[in-house]
Amino acid sequence: MSFYRAEDPIFETYVLANAPLKQLASGFDWVEGPVWFGDAGCLLFSDIPNDRILRWTPGSGLSTFRQPSGYANGHTRDRQGRLLSCEHGGRRVTRTELDGTLTVIADRFEGKPLNSPNDVVVRSDGSIWFTDPHYGIMSDYEGYKAEQEQPNAVYRVDPATGAIERVIDDMHAPNGLAFSPDERLLYVADTGRMHRADQPDIRVYQMDTDGHPVAGRSFHKLEPGAADGIRVDGDGNLWSSAGDGVHCIAPDGRELGRIFVPERVSNICFGGRAKHQLYITATTGLYSITLNRRGIQHP
Ligand code: MG
C-alpha cells in the first residue's frame, strides 16, 4: 500500500515517491505541539501525560528540553523567535524569554482561571491567539482535574497592552488554529465532533479590518477522526491531523489527498532547512515526511 492517497491529481506533485513517512522516535504516551527551531536545528514537542517537553535534533536524536513542563501542549514562536507554550497544568500561556525565564501571557479571563490552553499562533501584528478547550481539566491524565469556569473559546492577546479578549465563542471545542498566508482568514479546528456529531471539524473566519474574526462558517469536515492540529503551506493549503494520518485541504475546502500514519495524529508542523519537512506527533510516536511543499512557520 502506498504511504499516501491522492484525491486530486495535484497531490501527486506534493509528495515525493522516494521520501516516505519515517518514524523518528517512539515510546511516548501522548505527544502534541511540535514547533521547529531552525536556529537551534531542532524540534520541540510535548509528551503531555509525562509532563515534559522533548527536543528532537536530526542526527543526534532525543533529549529532554523541560520537565516538569506544566503539562505543556501546543507551542509556537513569536515574531522575535521566543517560545510560546500552552500549559494544561498551569492553565496558562507562557513565553520563554531568551534567558530561560518564563513570562505569563494569559492565565485568567474576567477574574476566573482559563480552562487548559491547547494551541497558540502569532499574527504578524504580534497578537497572540490561543484556544482554551476543557481537555486538560477533564481528568488527571493530561493535567489536573478541575471544575470548568470558562466556556470553550478562542482568545486574542493584544500586542501593545497585553489585554486578553475572547474572540470566538461559537465553537464546541476549539483546538488547533492557523492563519491563511495573507492573514485574511483564521482557521480553527473543532474537536467537538468527538463528542457531538453535528459539529464541523474545521471552521474558517474572515478577519475584519480591526483584526477580529467574523462570519464563521464550516470549512471542512474530515473523516476519519477529527482535526486537532492544523498548519498552512505557502499556497494556502491547509494540512490537518486526522484519525488515519494527515489530510491536505485546498483553500476551497476540498480534500486534495492524505498521508497515512500508523497512529492517530494529534499535531503537525513544518520544519527543516526549507520548511519542507512535515513533523507529525501521533499518539506514542514522532514521525516526519519530506514534502515537495514549503510550509508557513514563523519566524
Ligand atoms: Mg491540540
CSV table of all heavy atoms in Angstrom, one decimal, residues 253-282:
chain,number,residue,atom,x,y,z
A,253,GLY,N,-11.8,24.1,0.4
A,253,GLY,CA,-12.4,23.2,1.3
A,253,GLY,C,-12.4,21.7,0.8
A,253,GLY,O,-12.8,20.8,1.5
A,254,ARG,N,-11.9,21.5,-0.4
A,254,ARG,CA,-11.8,20.1,-0.9
A,254,ARG,C,-10.6,19.4,-0.4
A,254,ARG,O,-9.5,20.0,-0.4
A,254,ARG,CB,-11.7,20.1,-2.5
A,254,ARG,CG,-12.9,20.3,-3.3
A,254,ARG,CD,-12.6,20.3,-4.7
A,254,ARG,NE,-11.5,21.2,-5.1
A,254,ARG,CZ,-10.4,20.9,-5.7
A,254,ARG,NH1,-10.1,19.6,-6.0
A,254,ARG,NH2,-9.5,21.8,-5.9
A,255,GLU,N,-10.7,18.1,-0.1
A,255,GLU,CA,-9.5,17.3,0.2
A,255,GLU,C,-8.7,17.0,-1.0
A,255,GLU,O,-9.3,16.6,-2.0
A,255,GLU,CB,-9.9,16.0,0.9
A,255,GLU,CG,-8.7,15.3,1.4
A,255,GLU,CD,-8.9,13.8,1.8
A,255,GLU,OE1,-10.0,13.5,2.2
A,255,GLU,OE2,-7.9,13.0,1.7
A,256,LEU,N,-7.4,17.3,-1.0
A,256,LEU,CA,-6.5,17.0,-2.1
A,256,LEU,C,-5.9,15.7,-2.0
A,256,LEU,O,-5.6,15.0,-3.0
A,256,LEU,CB,-5.5,18.1,-2.2
A,256,LEU,CG,-6.0,19.5,-2.4
A,256,LEU,CD1,-4.8,20.5,-2.5
A,256,LEU,CD2,-6.8,19.6,-3.7
A,257,GLY,N,-5.7,15.2,-0.8
A,257,GLY,CA,-5.0,13.9,-0.6
A,257,GLY,C,-4.6,13.8,0.9
A,257,GLY,O,-4.9,14.7,1.7
A,258,ARG,N,-4.1,12.6,1.2
A,258,ARG,CA,-3.8,12.3,2.6
A,258,ARG,C,-2.5,11.4,2.7
A,258,ARG,O,-2.2,10.7,1.7
A,258,ARG,CB,-4.9,11.7,3.3
A,258,ARG,CG,-5.4,10.3,2.8
A,258,ARG,CD,-6.6,9.8,3.5
A,258,ARG,NE,-7.8,10.6,3.2
A,258,ARG,CZ,-9.0,10.2,3.8
A,258,ARG,NH1,-9.2,9.2,4.5
A,258,ARG,NH2,-10.1,11.0,3.5
A,259,ILE,N,-1.8,11.6,3.8
A,259,ILE,CA,-0.6,10.8,4.1
A,259,ILE,C,-1.1,9.9,5.2
A,259,ILE,O,-1.6,10.3,6.2
A,259,ILE,CB,0.6,11.7,4.5
A,259,ILE,CG1,1.0,12.5,3.3
A,259,ILE,CG2,1.7,10.8,5.0
A,259,ILE,CD1,1.8,13.7,3.7
A,260,PHE,N,-0.8,8.6,5.1
A,260,PHE,CA,-1.2,7.6,6.1
A,260,PHE,C,-0.1,7.5,7.2
A,260,PHE,O,1.0,7.4,6.9
A,260,PHE,CB,-1.5,6.3,5.5
A,260,PHE,CG,-2.6,6.3,4.5
A,260,PHE,CD1,-2.4,6.1,3.2
A,260,PHE,CD2,-3.9,6.4,5.0
A,260,PHE,CE1,-3.5,6.1,2.3
A,260,PHE,CE2,-5.0,6.5,4.1
A,260,PHE,CZ,-4.8,6.3,2.8
A,261,VAL,N,-0.6,7.6,8.4
A,261,VAL,CA,0.3,7.4,9.6
A,261,VAL,C,-0.3,6.3,10.4
A,261,VAL,O,-1.5,6.2,10.6
A,261,VAL,CB,0.3,8.7,10.4
A,261,VAL,CG1,1.2,8.6,11.6
A,261,VAL,CG2,0.8,9.9,9.5
A,262,PRO,N,0.6,5.4,10.9
A,262,PRO,CA,0.0,4.2,11.6
A,262,PRO,C,-0.6,4.5,13.0
A,262,PRO,O,-1.2,3.6,13.5
A,262,PRO,CB,1.3,3.3,11.7
A,262,PRO,CG,2.4,4.1,11.5
A,262,PRO,CD,2.0,5.3,10.7
A,263,GLU,N,-0.4,5.7,13.5
A,263,GLU,CA,-1.1,6.0,14.8
A,263,GLU,C,-1.9,7.3,14.6
A,263,GLU,O,-1.7,8.0,13.7
A,263,GLU,CB,0.0,6.3,15.9
A,263,GLU,CG,0.9,5.1,16.2
A,263,GLU,CD,1.9,5.5,17.3
A,263,GLU,OE1,1.5,5.4,18.4
A,263,GLU,OE2,3.0,5.8,17.0
A,264,ARG,N,-2.9,7.5,15.5
A,264,ARG,CA,-3.7,8.6,15.4
A,264,ARG,C,-2.9,9.9,15.6
A,264,ARG,O,-2.2,10.1,16.5
A,264,ARG,CB,-4.8,8.6,16.5
A,264,ARG,CG,-5.7,9.8,16.5
A,264,ARG,CD,-6.8,9.5,17.6
A,264,ARG,NE,-7.2,10.8,18.2
A,264,ARG,CZ,-7.9,10.8,19.4
A,264,ARG,NH1,-8.1,9.7,20.1
A,264,ARG,NH2,-8.2,12.0,19.8
A,265,VAL,N,-3.0,10.8,14.6
A,265,VAL,CA,-2.2,12.0,14.6
A,265,VAL,C,-2.9,13.1,15.5
A,265,VAL,O,-4.1,13.3,15.4
A,265,VAL,CB,-2.0,12.6,13.2
A,265,VAL,CG1,-1.3,13.9,13.2
A,265,VAL,CG2,-1.3,11.5,12.3
A,266,SER,N,-2.0,13.8,16.3
A,266,SER,CA,-2.5,14.9,17.1
A,266,SER,C,-2.2,16.3,16.4
A,266,SER,O,-3.1,17.1,16.1
A,266,SER,CB,-1.9,14.9,18.5
A,266,SER,OG,-0.5,14.9,18.4
A,267,ASN,N,-0.9,16.5,16.2
A,267,ASN,CA,-0.4,17.8,15.7
A,267,ASN,C,0.6,17.6,14.6
A,267,ASN,O,1.3,16.6,14.5
A,267,ASN,CB,0.1,18.6,16.8
A,267,ASN,CG,-0.9,19.2,17.8
A,267,ASN,OD1,-0.5,19.9,18.7
A,267,ASN,ND2,-2.2,18.9,17.6
A,268,ILE,N,0.9,18.7,13.9
A,268,ILE,CA,1.9,18.7,12.8
A,268,ILE,C,2.6,20.1,12.8
A,268,ILE,O,2.0,21.1,13.3
A,268,ILE,CB,1.3,18.5,11.4
A,268,ILE,CG1,0.1,19.5,11.1
A,268,ILE,CG2,0.7,17.0,11.3
A,268,ILE,CD1,-0.5,19.3,9.8
A,269,CYS,N,3.8,20.1,12.2
A,269,CYS,CA,4.4,21.4,11.9
A,269,CYS,C,5.4,21.3,10.8
A,269,CYS,O,5.9,20.2,10.6
A,269,CYS,CB,5.0,22.1,13.1
A,269,CYS,SG,6.7,21.5,13.5
A,270,PHE,N,5.6,22.3,10.1
A,270,PHE,CA,6.7,22.3,9.0
A,270,PHE,C,8.0,22.7,9.6
A,270,PHE,O,8.1,23.5,10.6
A,270,PHE,CB,6.3,23.3,7.9
A,270,PHE,CG,5.1,22.9,7.1
A,270,PHE,CD1,3.9,23.3,7.3
A,270,PHE,CD2,5.3,22.0,6.0
A,270,PHE,CE1,2.8,22.9,6.5
A,270,PHE,CE2,4.3,21.5,5.2
A,270,PHE,CZ,3.0,22.0,5.5
A,271,GLY,N,9.1,22.1,9.1
A,271,GLY,CA,10.4,22.4,9.6
A,271,GLY,C,11.4,22.0,8.6
A,271,GLY,O,11.1,21.8,7.4
A,272,GLY,N,12.7,21.9,9.1
A,272,GLY,CA,13.8,21.6,8.1
A,272,GLY,C,14.3,22.9,7.5
A,272,GLY,O,13.7,23.9,7.6
A,273,ARG,N,15.4,22.8,6.7
A,273,ARG,CA,16.1,24.0,6.2
A,273,ARG,C,15.2,24.8,5.3
A,273,ARG,O,15.4,26.0,5.1
A,273,ARG,CB,17.4,23.6,5.5
A,273,ARG,CG,17.2,22.7,4.3
A,273,ARG,CD,18.5,22.4,3.6
A,273,ARG,NE,18.3,21.2,2.7
A,273,ARG,CZ,17.7,21.3,1.5
A,273,ARG,NH1,17.2,22.5,1.1
A,273,ARG,NH2,17.6,20.2,0.8
A,274,ALA,N,14.2,24.1,4.6
A,274,ALA,CA,13.3,24.9,3.7
A,274,ALA,C,11.9,24.8,4.1
A,274,ALA,O,11.0,25.1,3.3
A,274,ALA,CB,13.5,24.3,2.3
A,275,LYS,N,11.6,24.4,5.4
A,275,LYS,CA,10.3,24.2,5.9
A,275,LYS,C,9.5,23.3,5.0
A,275,LYS,O,8.3,23.4,4.8
A,275,LYS,CB,9.6,25.6,6.0
A,275,LYS,CG,10.2,26.5,7.1
A,275,LYS,CD,9.8,27.9,7.1
A,275,LYS,CE,10.5,28.7,8.1
A,275,LYS,NZ,10.4,30.1,7.9
A,276,HIS,N,10.2,22.3,4.5
A,276,HIS,CA,9.7,21.3,3.5
A,276,HIS,C,9.5,20.0,4.2
A,276,HIS,O,9.1,19.0,3.5
A,276,HIS,CB,10.6,21.2,2.3
A,276,HIS,CG,11.9,20.7,2.6
A,276,HIS,ND1,12.7,21.2,3.6
A,276,HIS,CD2,12.6,19.6,2.1
A,276,HIS,CE1,13.9,20.5,3.7
A,276,HIS,NE2,13.8,19.5,2.7
A,277,GLN,N,9.8,19.9,5.4
A,277,GLN,CA,9.6,18.6,6.1
A,277,GLN,C,8.4,18.8,7.1
A,277,GLN,O,8.3,19.8,7.8
A,277,GLN,CB,10.8,18.2,6.9
A,277,GLN,CG,11.9,17.8,6.0
A,277,GLN,CD,13.2,17.5,6.7
A,277,GLN,OE1,13.6,18.3,7.6
A,277,GLN,NE2,13.9,16.5,6.3
A,278,LEU,N,7.5,17.8,7.1
A,278,LEU,CA,6.4,17.9,8.0
A,278,LEU,C,6.7,17.0,9.1
A,278,LEU,O,6.9,15.8,9.0
A,278,LEU,CB,5.1,17.4,7.2
A,278,LEU,CG,3.8,17.6,7.9
A,278,LEU,CD1,3.5,19.1,8.0
A,278,LEU,CD2,2.7,16.9,7.2
A,279,TYR,N,6.7,17.6,10.3
A,279,TYR,CA,6.9,16.8,11.6
A,279,TYR,C,5.5,16.5,12.1
A,279,TYR,O,4.6,17.3,12.1
A,279,TYR,CB,7.7,17.6,12.6
A,279,TYR,CG,9.2,17.6,12.2
A,279,TYR,CD1,9.7,18.6,11.5
A,279,TYR,CD2,10.0,16.5,12.5
A,279,TYR,CE1,11.1,18.6,11.2
A,279,TYR,CE2,11.3,16.5,12.2
A,279,TYR,CZ,11.9,17.6,11.5
A,279,TYR,OH,13.2,17.6,11.2
A,280,ILE,N,5.3,15.3,12.6
A,280,ILE,CA,4.0,14.7,12.9
A,280,ILE,C,4.1,14.1,14.3
A,280,ILE,O,4.9,13.2,14.5
A,280,ILE,CB,3.5,13.7,11.9
A,280,ILE,CG1,3.5,14.3,10.5
A,280,ILE,CG2,2.2,13.1,12.3
A,280,ILE,CD1,3.4,13.3,9.4
A,281,THR,N,3.3,14.6,15.2
A,281,THR,CA,3.2,13.9,16.5
A,281,THR,C,1.9,13.0,16.5
A,281,THR,O,0.8,13.5,16.1
A,281,THR,CB,3.0,14.9,17.7
A,281,THR,OG1,2.0,15.9,17.4
A,281,THR,CG2,4.4,15.6,17.9
A,282,ALA,N,2.1,11.8,16.8
A,282,ALA,CA,1.0,10.8,16.6
A,282,ALA,C,1.0,9.8,17.8
A,282,ALA,O,1.7,8.8,17.8
A,282,ALA,CB,1.1,10.1,15.3
